[in-house]
Amino acid sequence: MSFKASDAYAAGLARNHAFDAVGLPQEEKKSLFKNFTLRWALFVFLWAMVQLIIIIAMTVEGSAKGSAFDGYNHACEAIMMTSISLNFLLMSPTLMAMLHATPLRRFICFDKANKAHKFVAHTLVFWTLQHIITHYYRFHQIDAQSNGKVSMFDLLYKKTTGKVGHTILGLLGMFLIGSLPVVRRKCFELFYLLHHLSIVIVILIFFHVTTHTFHYYITGPGAIYLTDRVFRAVRARFNRPRILSVIQHPSNVVEIRFERNGMKYKAGQFIYLCVPSLSWYQWHPFTLSSAPEEGELS
């Protein structure tokens, strides 16, 4: 659930010191095993098994065709594409909410989709580096065996595939820098905008791989993500409940009361709220303090 605060109240909220980023406790260093659950372990195990199956199957297939090395390289590419597809699904909150309402939630932690998205992104970076290393090694071998007829530079930088691949690599580097916690905390707008380099990267991938490969991995999950994104944008722009009151509580706590506008929710849920006078890009989760039976939303 998400909506924008009205301009009048937003201006007031912008002047409220409860939104000042001062005096906040330092973020604790998170342990690898903190909040470790069996459902999270199941996700990690399943994702590891998917990668292992792809690596073994495609390497063996490549070996049968005469080159296990090429098979391994194709497996790296397949895992990269699978990682992108999975991240499209993980970053579709409406889809995750629908899945969370099914019995599958007993086994898979759909409410930890953002955490899973980061985990999958790390594996994407790993297999991207593997893909690059194998290409460089293979082209180095071709260069060495050609007696000067073919240069490694020509193979890497003069072919369209190589040019597009290195462009993707550069954009991915910018993407990763923008995703660093220090950038996200200090300059959220930069993090948000650089994250949208993923759109450019996906378009370039279309020119880097075969059309069949792109459609096989990207088209379906990409369409789901796009539909989810459009649905949430329309809902946020046209469903704007009126703010009834803003209450300043002790300990720098602000309570905002809205019209319910027929919105249904359960105890313990949260909403995403945007204050345009602070930032058009930032949507942050806020706790719902009102009970589902109340006439107002707070």
Side-chain angles (χ1 to χ4, degrees):
M1 291 176 283
S2 55
F3 46 83
K4 285 185 178 291
S6 65
D7 293 339
Y9 277 106
L13 293 174
R15 295 191 297 269
N16 194 303
H17 294 292
F19 286 90
D20 292 347
V22 294
L24 297 177
Q26 294 296 318
E27 185 176 347
E28 297 180 5
K29 292 184 178 179
K30 295 182 180 180
S31 168
L32 182 63
F33 298 101
K34 188 175 182 179
N35 299 325
F36 186 82
T37 63
L38 289 178
R39 290 191 301 166
W40 176 249
L42 178 61
F43 171 79
V44 173
F45 173 76
L46 290 175
W47 179 231
M49 289 303 298
V50 168
Q51 296 174 79
L52 184 62
I53 291 171
I54 292 175
I55 284 291
I56 292 175
M58 299 194 75
T59 302
V60 170
E61 182 182 357
S63 178
K65 293 180 178 179
S67 177
F69 186 81
D70 286 344
Y72 176 79
N73 189 30
H74 291 149
C76 294
E77 179 183 287
I79 296 177
M80 289 162 53
M81 301 294 281
T82 305
S83 300
I84 295 171
S85 302
L86 181 56
N87 265 337
F88 271 136
L89 299 178
L90 291 171
M91 297 315 292
S92 302
T94 306
L95 173 65
M96 292 297 105
M98 292 171 62
L99 292 174
H100 186 73
T102 69
L104 286 174
R105 70 178 182 274
R106 298 179 58 186
F107 309 101
I108 303 176
C109 44
F110 295 109
D111 52 338
K112 299 293 183 182
N114 191 51
K115 180 180 179 181
H117 154 70
K118 295 177 182 178
F119 182 77
V120 173
H122 281 88
T123 62
L124 171 61
V125 172
F126 173 79
W127 290 111
T128 299
L129 292 175
Q130 290 290 306
H131 183 64
I132 294 168
I133 291 170
T134 53
H135 266 305
Y136 269 69
Y137 178 74
R138 183 160 66 95
F139 290 155
H140 171 71
Q141 284 187 317
I142 294 173
D143 186 354
Q145 295 170 3
S146 68
N147 296 321
K149 295 179 181 179
V150 180
S151 71
M152 183 176 175
F153 180 85
D154 291 343
L155 292 171
L156 288 172
Y157 298 103
K158 289 191 174 181
K159 287 189 173 183
T160 302
T161 304
K163 291 177 182 178
V164 174
H166 284 91
T167 303
I168 293 173
L169 180 61
L171 292 175
L172 185 60
M174 295 173 62
F175 188 96
L176 293 174
I177 292 173
S179 300
L180 294 174
V182 63
V183 177
R184 188 171 67 249
R185 288 196 300 267
K186 298 294 183 180
C187 190
F188 186 88
E189 281 77 7
L190 180 61
F191 157 78
Y192 182 86
L193 292 174
L194 286 179
H195 237 60
H196 283 73
L197 285 174
S198 58
I199 299 172
V200 182
I201 291 173
V202 169
I203 293 173
L204 290 174
I205 287 175
F206 177 80
F207 298 100
H208 186 66
V209 301
T210 64
T211 303
H212 171 74
T213 301
F214 184 88
H215 288 314
Y216 184 81
Y217 289 101
I218 301 296
T219 301
I224 292 174
Y225 171 77
L226 183 61
T227 302
D228 187 279
R229 188 74 182 265
V230 171
F231 171 74
R232 287 184 289 121
V234 171
R235 181 178 58 183
R237 296 299 180 268
F238 293 98
N239 183 21
R240 299 187 179 186
R242 185 169 61 91
I243 296 178
L244 301 175
S245 62
V246 178
I247 305 170
Q248 174 71 63
H249 291 288
S251 300
N252 239 11
V253 175
V254 173
E255 177 186 357
I256 311 174
R257 288 193 164 271
F258 300 91
E259 291 179 334
R260 283 195 61 160
N261 257 13
M263 186 165 56
K264 298 179 181 179
Y265 63 94
K266 297 180 181 179
Q269 288 187 321
F270 59 89
I271 62 170
Y272 280 97
L273 181 67
C274 173
V275 183
S277 58
L278 295 179
S279 172
W280 278 93
Y281 304 117
Q282 297 194 39
W283 293 83
H284 293 290
F286 284 80
T287 305
L288 287 171
S289 57
S290 55
E293 295 79 14
E294 293 184 43
E296 299 177 356
L297 178 69
S298 67

